[in-house]
Amino acid sequence: MEAPLKAWVEETALLFEAAGLPRMAGRVLAWLLIAEPPEQTAREMGVALSASKGALSPALHLLTRLHLVERLRRPGERADRYAVRPGAWKRLLLEKTRALSRYREQAERGLALVGEVRGERLREMRELYAFFERELPKLLERFEEGR
């Protein structure tokens, strides 16, 4: 892999790590976003990323479990192949919407405990997360309609 592309993969892995993925899972996901062909074996990824099978295996398992990556098999091949799952980013954002609901609910529980007078910061939190909880699914629909 050329140096600028390798740097991009590492930078993207750091971005995914900041979002909660382990670094190796981030590296794998970044590689699968640019790999040709799009379906890669663990061996091909290991060569491209200078990573061992032992490091790749848990990363691939996690990415598959999160439905970001799918495992495929080509007829006549023994090795599994992996690719970014179609719709993965939308699914990830919808999962974030569920997380937003938990923040809103937590703010509401806090408001019930401290009351409206002391709850100014909690109201702000509740209103912001309620807004995103309502609007993010609509934005995703608009995105799909515009594709």
Side-chain angles (χ1 to χ4, degrees):
M1 174 178 0
E2 306 111 34
L5 209 46
K6 185 175 183 169
W8 181 88
V9 166
E10 296 305 323
E11 289 168 11
T12 306
L14 290 173
L15 182 65
F16 289 140
E17 184 179 42
L21 282 179
R23 174 93 45 101
M24 182 54 73
R27 291 178 74 213
V28 168
L29 187 54
W31 171 247
L32 287 174
L33 286 169
I34 60 167
E36 284 301 328
E39 305 90 15
Q40 296 278 298
T41 65
R43 187 167 198 256
E44 290 167 335
M45 285 184 270
V47 169
L49 299 171
S50 300
S52 70
K53 184 179 177 184
L56 288 171
S57 184
L60 288 166
H61 179 73
L62 174 64
L63 292 170
T64 302
R65 197 176 80 239
L66 292 174
H67 303 288
L68 295 173
V69 167
E70 61 185 348
R71 188 170 61 182
L72 310 162
R73 180 73 59 100
R74 286 186 182 166
E77 286 188 358
R78 295 180 62 148
D80 288 330
R81 292 184 168 272
Y82 298 87
V84 174
R85 183 183 284 267
W89 306 112
K90 180 179 178 181
R91 198 169 15 265
L92 188 62
L93 280 174
L94 287 172
E95 181 58 38
K96 294 290 184 194
T97 302
R98 287 186 276 285
L100 296 173
S101 298
R102 291 191 294 271
Y103 281 100
R104 178 199 40 81
E105 291 165 359
Q106 191 66 15
E108 288 173 353
R109 285 200 296 278
L111 273 168
L113 293 172
V114 301
E116 291 293 321
V117 174
R118 288 180 46 204
E120 180 181 335
R121 293 167 297 205
L122 286 170
R123 274 194 310 279
E124 180 185 351
M125 178 181 171
R126 177 192 63 197
E127 290 167 9
L128 177 68
Y129 286 109
F131 173 80
F132 282 117
E133 185 180 10
R134 272 190 325 270
E135 297 301 321
L136 188 55
K138 293 176 192 175
L139 284 172
L140 289 171
E141 281 180 33
R142 284 181 41 208
F143 173 77
E144 288 298 324
E145 290 168 2
R147 290 184 85 195

